[in-house]
């Protein structure tokens, strides 16, 4: 580790190159909900470079160990760093080889500690994480923000999803959704996001985790409708304006 | 064991492939007063004999709560035991802080064993002179482990350590196969009887023994003296041979028919501490 004079720490201008200031390549919302058999999570496959929709095949959801599924929005390189940490965590967990394994609650708690610690050092991992899983029949769904704010709920979302998807979920989510209803509900949320979030791309994956394990769907597109009459002559009400 | 030229250092092997210092450390465990552990599918019970250096002093604390789901009983150098208990408490609390989950007993036991092993392979250290009975509950059920100064550990259905441990084992050996299905009360009763077995001449009194329990829905705790007294009274009333004893708490219990098993408790033979 490089040594810096004590007075400089991480907050001087020279040290700016050592810590995260802004995100560069980012993923947009992740939406997830609990259903009858486990958790359903959806995220599109876009990686934006500022306002450019640069990368269109980014997998933003990964399985962790036997019992968990992680989805991330925000800086994608930080997501990859987090996956690297979790890889090591799961490796050591497996090396015990003693029948015990880290469940979603433990992974969520671990991630919270990591994110909060980085925030305290003014060098955050610029990601919002969604952690879902099932262990011993118990469903778990939680979120961790880049500053270490964490909580559990029946449905969660990151970024724009909080503003556009959560209100839909609050109205329409209920206990013991079937798989089909869960997917329909997620697609409804993702469609709204596709219409209204400029960093959304129309190529998404839906992942499901149950007691049996994780399945991530093949990428697919949502059907959209743009045939509104207001779009055929958009400037009709704005004549004479600048 | 006899003194020999290979026993000065823990890092010296004998020609027969033994580390005498480690074996001497295990002897220290046998010098301490007895500690006994038993487990069923849902509960683990620890019971131990409390010795005091004199009538005027307090009793040695031998049972330590390590976490809500783990507790230990020690025999041997109790100072070493305290230090190891503090280490175990630290490990549990750190794990809980990071993972918001109780540390699995099996993992704590391995960490403790590895810590003990280090002391058998450094010339400037000495082995811990204490045997640790670890009682705990985790996702995979109720567990009882014994950690040895050598760094070895094993899981047990029932085990006894400390002075006159053989007497307790003699009681436990024919019965241990049934412990898995024992009720909590029967498990405690068997623990108390095992403790009594190690007190050859003394009567089993609450001042001499401590009992602790951990189980499903029951965090690790030491039973208070009143509860223990009632339990002792309950099983003193029906002895193993079935003959009833009169008022409990008598200094010299009188039996209807002289039973050889109970006769060992009478008499005033001098006790070694």
């Amino acid at each position: 580790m490089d040594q810096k004079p004590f007075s400089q720490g991480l907050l001087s201008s020279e040290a700016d190159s050592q810590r995260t200031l802004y995100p560069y390549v980012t993923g947009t919302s992740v939406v997830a909900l609990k259903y009858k058999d486990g958790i359903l999570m959806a995220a599109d496959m876009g990686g934006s470079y500022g306002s450019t929709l640069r990368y269109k095949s980014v997998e933003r959801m990964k399985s962790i160990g036997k019992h968990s599924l992680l989805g991330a929005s925000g800086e994608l390189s930080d997501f990859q760093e987090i996956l690297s940490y979790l890889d090591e965590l799961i490796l050591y967990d497996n090396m015990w080889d003693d029948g015990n394994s880290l469940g979603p609650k433990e992974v969520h708690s671990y991630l919270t500690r990591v994110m909060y610690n980085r925030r305290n050092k003014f060098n955050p991992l610029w990601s919002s994480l969604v952690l879902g899983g099932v262990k011993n029949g118990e469903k778990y769904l939680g979120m961790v923000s880049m500053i270490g704010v964490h909580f559990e709920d029946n449905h969660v979302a990151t970024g724009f999803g909080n503003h556009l998807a959560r209100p839909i979920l609050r109205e329409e989510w209920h206990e013991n959704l079937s798989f089909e209803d869960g997917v329909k509900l997620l697609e409804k949320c993702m469609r709204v996001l596709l219409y209204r979030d400029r960093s959304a791309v129309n190529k998404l994956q839906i992942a499901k985790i149950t007691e049996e394990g994780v399945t991530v769907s093949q990428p697919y597109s949502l059907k959209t409708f743009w045939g509104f009459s207001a779009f055929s002559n958009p400037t009709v009400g704005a004549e004479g304006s600048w | 064991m006899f003194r020999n030229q290979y026993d000065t250092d823990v890092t010296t092997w004998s020609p027969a492939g033994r580390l005498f210092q480690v074996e001497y450390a295990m002897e220290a465990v046998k010098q301490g007063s007895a500690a006994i552990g038993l487990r069923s599918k849902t509960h683990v019970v620890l019971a131990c004999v409390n010795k005091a250096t004199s009538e005027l002093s307090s009793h040695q604390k031998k049972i330590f709560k390590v976490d809500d789901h783990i507790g230990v009983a020690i025999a041997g150098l109790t100072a070493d035991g305290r230090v190891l208990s503090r280490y175990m408490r630290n490990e549990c609390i750190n794990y809980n802080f990071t993972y918001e989950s109780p540390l699995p007993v099996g993992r704590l036991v391995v960490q403790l064993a590895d810590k003990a092993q280090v002391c058998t392979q450094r010339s400037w250290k000495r082995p811990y002179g204490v045997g640790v009975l670890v009682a705990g509950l985790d996702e995979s059920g109720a567990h009882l482990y014994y950690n040895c100064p050598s760094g070895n550990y094993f899981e047990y259905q029932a085990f006894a350590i400390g002075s006159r441990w053989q007497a307790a084992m003699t009681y436990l050996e024919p019965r241990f196969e049934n412990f898995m299905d024992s009720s909590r009360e029967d498990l405690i009763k068997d623990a108390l009887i095992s403790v009594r077995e190690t007190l050859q001449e003394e009567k089993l009194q609450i001042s001499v023994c401590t009992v602790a329990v951990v189980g499903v829905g029951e965090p690790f705790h030491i039973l208070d003296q009143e509860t223990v007294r009632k339990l002792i009274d309950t099983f003193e009333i029906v002895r193993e041979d079935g003959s009833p004893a009169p008022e409990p708490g008598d200094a010299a219990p009188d039996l209807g028919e002289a039973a050889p098993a109970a006769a060992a408790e009478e008499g005033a033979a001098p006790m070694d501490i």
Side-chain angles (χ1 to χ4, degrees), chain B residues 51 196 199-205 208 265 271:
Chain B
K51 282 295 196 286
R196 188 187 66 189
L199 301 165
Q200 279 166 347
E201 305 80 9
E202 264 180 287
K203 192 178 183 312
L204 179 63
Q205 289 168 313
V208 210
E265 295 190 290
M271 228 176 44

Side-chain angles (χ1 to χ4, degrees), chain B residues 62-83:
Chain B
K62 285 160 60 78
I63 296 191
F64 298 90
K65 176 169 174 167
V66 164
D67 201 345
D68 284 335
H69 66 298
I70 302 182
V72 302
I74 58 170
L77 266 55
T78 41
D80 284 3
R82 261 199 334 273
V83 161

Side-chain angles (χ1 to χ4, degrees), chain B residues 88-139:
Chain B
M88 294 170 81
R89 283 173 177 165
N90 219 33
E91 292 299 301
C92 281
I93 214 169
N94 285 340
Y95 187 92
N96 209 318
F97 177 70
T98 308
Y99 301 104
E100 267 187 65
S101 223
L103 176 57
V105 195
R107 296 194 179 185
L108 179 62
V109 162
V110 172
Q111 282 173 256
L112 185 63
D114 288 348
K115 192 171 163 66
Q117 191 279 340
V118 170
C119 298
T120 67
Q121 213 175 4
R122 305 280 185 270
S123 61
W124 62 89
K125 285 181 180 257
R126 65 156 177 85
Y128 288 105
V130 65
V132 186
L133 279 172
V134 184
L137 209 70
D138 59 27
E139 268 184 0

Side-chain angles (χ1 to χ4, degrees), chain A residues 89 92-93 96-98 100-102 105-107 109-110 113 135-136 150, chain B residues 95-102 104-108 110-111 138-140:
Chain A
L89 182 74
Y92 281 112
D93 190 42
W96 281 101
D97 195 21
D98 63 352
N100 289 304
S101 53
L102 294 170
K105 184 184 184 37
E106 287 82 13
V107 177
S109 202
Y110 171 79
R113 292 289 120 241
K135 191 173 179 209
N136 299 333
H150 65 287
Chain B
Y95 187 92
N96 209 318
F97 177 70
T98 308
Y99 301 104
E100 267 187 65
S101 223
V105 195
R107 296 194 179 185
L108 179 62
V110 172
Q111 282 173 256
D138 59 27
E139 268 184 0
S140 46

Side-chain angles (χ1 to χ4, degrees), chain B residues 5-14 17-25 116-128 149-150:
Chain B
Q5 57 184 163
Y6 307 109
D7 68 356
T8 312
D9 235 289
V10 75
T11 50
T12 303
W13 288 100
S14 82
R18 294 161 71 169
L19 289 170
F20 282 105
Q21 277 297 305
V22 176
E23 293 183 26
Y24 296 166
Q117 191 279 340
V118 170
C119 298
T120 67
Q121 213 175 4
R122 305 280 185 270
S123 61
W124 62 89
K125 285 181 180 257
R126 65 156 177 85
Y128 288 105
S150 62

